Amino acid sequence: MTEIVSEASVTSPPQGKIMLVGIGPGSFAQMTHRAVEAIAEADVVIGYVTYIKLVADLLEGKEVIRKGMTEELDRAVHALESAQAGKKVALISSGDAGVYGMAGPTYEVLFQAGWTPDSGVPVEIVPGTSAINACASLVGAPLTHDFCSISLSDLLTPWPVIARRLEAAAAADFVVALYNPKSGRRTQQIEQAQYLFLRHRSPQTPVAVVKSAYRRRQAIVFTTLDKMSDCDIGMLSTVLIGNSNTFVRDGLMVTPRGYANKYDMQGDGSAREGEKRGRSLSTGLLGWMANLHADFAEGISLTQLAQLHHLPADYLELVLRTPLEEEETPGADEAEA
């Protein structure tokens, strides 16, 4: 006689999961709904001791594994082992797990262990508000134009690599957020960053130093590039350096988007002479290419043009070999400012 076993009587082993959770600045109000949900769903919560404290109210009844500042790989290994044992794991990072967070180290550990997305433990990345966004929201609108972030920590990155990135960002006029700007042992990095920026930026360039954004000891200081390194800066600080157009007014740091390049901001807001609404600037790519071709045709050398535009000569040579074309009129769904 054949025994019939119902599906309900068969117990399959629980499937583990790793959730890489960005908890934002640390304030419960700044966490995403999914971040809170993921921690609630987890059997095990793993994180740096300070981050564990920030979510202490959410950890009742859970296995909690606290790790030190330099134990990132240990956190990832514990997460994998717990997930392989059938547990759901929330591996938490402040800010966003993918921005100087645990997402990268965890994937490195997983791949080294032979993990693949199809055959291994499921992994979910839960995004969070990074320090650059949190700090910017507290000081105004400094990121309205192109920006980048650079970590001054040389624990894992050679200083010449960091210095080249600082030099390039300063020369390119990015708004820059400096992460990990200073610690008890690393005191010179912020001073050398300041030196590199002063080679390209005005000493009066606005700078905001934000400490412990959205946390209990939050502090905000507005200063200038030439006085930046004199501020109280530590590992809980993020330093925002403006570009050549950034200004501070009424306690707000603002980087213009560039509307004044195209529109009469003091008048009726109409397009300036030579500009058209919904079309690239006259100095945009196609207009600039036309002017470059004309200047070259008039006898200005490639070397002179490279110096004039601060661009590599081989790039300008490529542009000069590119046929000129007219800009198409955008449709309603393509039109920008």
Side-chain angles (χ1 to χ4, degrees):
M1 182 177 179
T2 304
E3 182 180 357
I4 300 175
V5 181
S6 68
E7 290 185 13
S9 66
V10 178
T11 303
S12 59
Q15 182 181 30
K17 179 180 182 181
I18 296 175
M19 296 171 285
L20 297 159
V21 183
I23 63 172
S27 166
F28 181 82
Q30 301 300 323
M31 292 177 64
T32 67
H33 176 75
R34 178 56 191 147
V36 175
E37 193 176 61
I39 293 174
E41 181 183 329
D43 304 304
V44 183
V45 177
I46 304 173
Y48 172 50
V49 288
T50 298
Y51 308 155
I52 292 292
K53 290 178 182 177
L54 293 173
V55 296
D57 292 343
L58 305 177
L59 303 181
E60 185 177 352
K62 300 185 182 301
E63 179 185 350
V64 178
I65 299 175
R66 300 169 176 83
K67 291 289 181 176
M69 177 61 78
T70 60
E71 297 179 304
E72 289 84 2
L73 294 181
D74 287 342
R75 293 179 227 168
V77 169
H78 269 82
L80 176 58
E81 291 174 348
S82 296
Q84 287 174 331
K87 298 177 180 179
K88 292 185 177 180
V89 182
L91 179 50
I92 64 174
S93 297
S94 67
D96 182 275
V99 180
Y100 305 116
M102 284 302 303
T106 300
Y107 276 123
E108 290 183 58
V109 167
L110 289 171
F111 286 133
Q112 190 172 6
W115 174 91
T116 68
D118 295 328
S119 62
V121 171
V123 176
E124 176 187 359
I125 297 181
V126 180
T129 301
S130 185
I132 189 172
N133 305 108
C135 295
S137 72
L138 292 170
V139 302
L143 308 179
T144 312
H145 218 304
D146 296 338
F147 61 89
C148 68
S149 63
I150 300 174
S151 171
L152 297 191
S153 174
D154 55 6
L155 297 180
L156 300 173
T157 306
W159 180 254
V161 174
I162 298 172
R164 286 194 295 270
R165 291 170 180 170
L166 291 166
E167 168 73 11
D173 204 28
F174 282 107
V175 175
V176 178
L178 299 180
Y179 281 65
N180 307 311
K182 190 176 181 179
S183 69
R185 295 179 180 178
R186 297 182 301 100
T187 59
Q188 295 186 42
Q189 284 82 350
I190 189 67
E191 295 176 358
Q192 295 197 25
Q194 179 186 37
Y195 172 82
L196 289 168
F197 268 81
L198 284 170
R199 294 183 68 250
H200 302 279
R201 308 278 178 95
S202 163
Q204 298 306 305
T205 300
V207 172
V209 179
V210 183
K211 181 179 180 180
S212 299
Y214 292 100
R215 297 182 189 174
R216 186 165 55 88
R217 296 181 180 177
Q218 174 181 297
I220 301 170
V221 174
F222 289 100
T223 184
T224 52
L225 185 58
D226 59 340
K227 296 181 175 62
M228 178 178 76
S229 62
D230 297 332
C231 295
D232 179 17
I233 297 174
M235 279 297 289
L236 298 178
S237 304
T238 301
V239 179
L240 297 173
I241 304 174
N243 69 14
S244 58
N245 293 305
T246 304
F247 63 87
V248 173
R249 185 174 302 164
D250 297 327
L252 295 170
M253 184 178 182
V254 178
T255 301
R257 180 68 179 88
Y259 290 97
N261 294 330
K262 181 181 285 189
Y263 301 109
D264 179 7
M265 303 294 286
Q266 304 300 321
D268 60 2
S270 59
R272 294 183 180 279
E273 184 177 354
E275 307 295 347
K276 294 181 180 178
R277 187 179 295 273
R279 301 285 292 272
S280 296
L281 280 174
S282 58
T283 51
L285 176 59
L286 296 183
W288 173 75
M289 286 178 64
N291 291 332
L292 190 72
H293 277 264
D295 289 342
F296 188 69
E298 289 180 6
I300 301 177
S301 71
L302 197 61
T303 300
Q304 290 173 313
L305 288 171
Q307 292 174 344
L308 175 65
H309 295 285
H310 303 286
L311 289 168
D314 58 342
Y315 168 64
L316 296 186
E317 187 176 16
L318 171 67
V319 173
L320 290 168
R321 292 200 304 266
T322 303
L324 293 175
E325 59 183 62
E326 287 194 23
E327 182 180 12
E328 295 182 3
T329 301
D333 60 334
E334 297 175 314
E336 299 179 15

